[in-house]
Amino acid sequence: QLDIWARENSKNSIFADISWVGWTGTEVPDEVQKMFNAVTAARDGCAEFIASRLSEEKPVTGAEADSEARRILIQSGYEDFIKHRTGHGIDTALHGSGTGLDSVEFPDKRHLIEGSCFSIEPGLYTMQFGMRTEIDAYISGGKLKISGPGPQTKILTF
């Protein structure tokens, strides 16, 4: 798990917060790959859900977005391994005061609105290993935007 967060050295700069998954070895075990496929499907499905609701000009809450990611993970057979919310607000504080993508711990019924910045980071954790894939997203011009060059699509190998 590579989790990186940083911002420019200015009190008004916004954080970037990403997580990528790596494996020490050239061959990723099937169990690890299967879990990676589930978390990336949940991440991408959550982003697509938010984007779809925005394109339909329908409001979407943080709780609804989290529920969509959880639905995908549960459908993949991983219900018992979901241990945290799908995302958090991001601003000049790493875990910002904006809407969180959470339907369980602290259900957030606030809407994701124009100017919102937040993470989308579903994770799964077994007794043997865990993983999370994280992207930063924001709403601009009524559309969901993903920051950076693109989400992780393949497990890094070392």
Side-chain angles (χ1 to χ4, degrees):
Q1 182 70 48
L2 306 169
D3 191 4
I4 303 167
W5 49 269
R7 67 181 187 157
E8 290 184 6
N9 192 15
S10 166
K11 75 175 193 170
N12 293 321
S13 62
I14 304 299
F15 271 89
D17 187 15
I18 62 168
S19 292
W20 280 44
V21 175
W23 183 260
T24 54
T26 56
E27 295 293 321
V28 176
D30 290 342
E31 180 182 3
V32 174
Q33 185 64 55
K34 183 180 173 203
M35 185 180 282
F36 178 78
N37 293 346
V39 295
T40 57
R43 178 200 64 205
D44 298 345
C46 181
E48 289 166 12
F49 174 78
I50 295 167
S52 174
R53 291 289 288 270
L54 293 172
S55 73
E56 296 167 1
E57 297 184 3
K58 293 181 179 175
V60 59
T61 68
E64 291 170 323
D66 179 68
S67 291
E68 178 63 14
R70 286 174 184 275
R71 183 191 67 75
I72 294 166
L73 293 173
I74 291 166
Q75 189 174 33
S76 298
Y78 289 106
E79 182 171 14
D80 294 339
F81 307 109
I82 304 169
K83 305 296 183 193
H84 60 72
R85 64 187 173 200
T86 298
H88 57 82
I90 299 173
D91 55 30
T92 57
L94 178 57
H95 285 219
S97 59
T99 302
L101 278 57
D102 189 349
S103 63
V104 176
E105 295 173 285
F106 300 99
D108 201 332
K109 295 183 179 173
R110 294 178 293 172
H111 293 143
L112 296 168
I113 61 172
E114 185 72 18
S116 294
C117 182
F118 49 92
S119 68
I120 302 175
E121 54 179 296
L124 295 170
Y125 306 90
T126 69
M127 293 299 289
Q128 293 74 35
F129 65 92
M131 68 176 68
R132 178 175 75 251
T133 175
E134 179 177 15
I135 57 175
D136 295 344
Y138 61 98
I139 299 173
S140 178
K143 296 183 183 210
L144 182 72
K145 309 283 185 175
I146 306 298
S147 66
Q152 182 182 14
T153 58
K154 183 179 175 191
I155 296 175
L156 303 173
T157 55
F158 305 95

